[in-house]
Amino acid sequence: MIRPILFAASRAAASTVPRQAASIARPLFRSSLLSSRHIIPAISFQGVRCYASSGGLAKEEVTGRILDLLKNFDKVTDPSKLSETSNFNNDLGLDSLDTVEVVMAIEEEFSIEIPDKEADGIHSVDQAVTYILSQPDAH
């Protein structure tokens, strides 16, 4: 929205400046110390890039990606027990080392780093989804 306004303003500014002043004036001598002429800068407009933060991840997307990750995890013996409320230990039969591996896989999947203190509290799909949704830099 702001980009067209900036382009219109730069065109208006360029049209009001005489042609002679719009070009770069070059000094007669190579050294600017020897020249008494002042260099008039060219009026130009560089392109502006506007970046916005993403809208965030939807809960359904995060849940689906975590469930797909768990379906492909070789230690999950019964994929039929996978749901949004599955507990890694009770429902899926994963031990503590397997849970750490799952959390590491979630870190890689969403390009984030989960501190050890936070990772120790993730024991179910629900908890993992809640944690991922609370992270603004998760992809």
Side-chain angles (χ1 to χ4, degrees):
M1 170 122 183
I2 190 106
R3 193 176 292 180
I5 295 169
L6 291 174
F7 281 106
S10 68
R11 278 191 222 117
S15 66
T16 60
V17 176
R19 283 271 184 204
Q20 207 172 29
S23 64
I24 296 177
R26 298 188 185 266
L28 295 173
F29 303 102
R30 284 203 178 268
S31 171
S32 62
L33 296 174
L34 300 175
S35 172
S36 62
R37 290 179 59 184
H38 294 285
I39 298 175
I40 300 171
I43 296 177
S44 65
F45 184 74
Q46 299 282 332
V48 175
R49 287 193 176 175
C50 300
Y51 296 99
S53 64
S54 64
L57 296 171
K59 183 176 181 177
E60 296 80 25
E61 179 186 355
V62 173
T63 304
R65 287 169 64 181
I66 291 176
L67 290 175
D68 287 341
L69 187 137
L70 288 169
K71 285 177 190 173
N72 296 327
F73 192 65
D74 58 344
K75 303 284 177 107
V76 176
T77 56
D78 190 9
S80 64
K81 292 184 179 180
L82 278 173
S83 70
E84 294 179 7
T85 58
S86 296
N87 187 301
F88 298 148
N89 188 10
N90 299 338
D91 299 329
L92 304 177
L94 302 177
D95 62 7
S96 60
L97 183 59
D98 295 334
T99 302
V100 170
E101 289 180 21
V102 167
V103 171
M104 289 173 55
I106 291 171
E107 286 178 334
E108 289 178 25
E109 175 69 24
F110 292 96
S111 301
I112 60 170
E113 185 174 331
I114 302 174
D116 292 339
K117 187 176 182 181
E118 304 279 332
D120 290 341
I122 298 175
H123 298 291
S124 68
V125 175
D126 261 351
Q127 291 171 340
V129 169
T130 304
Y131 182 81
I132 296 299
L133 291 175
S134 70
Q135 300 303 309
D137 55 344
H139 306 168

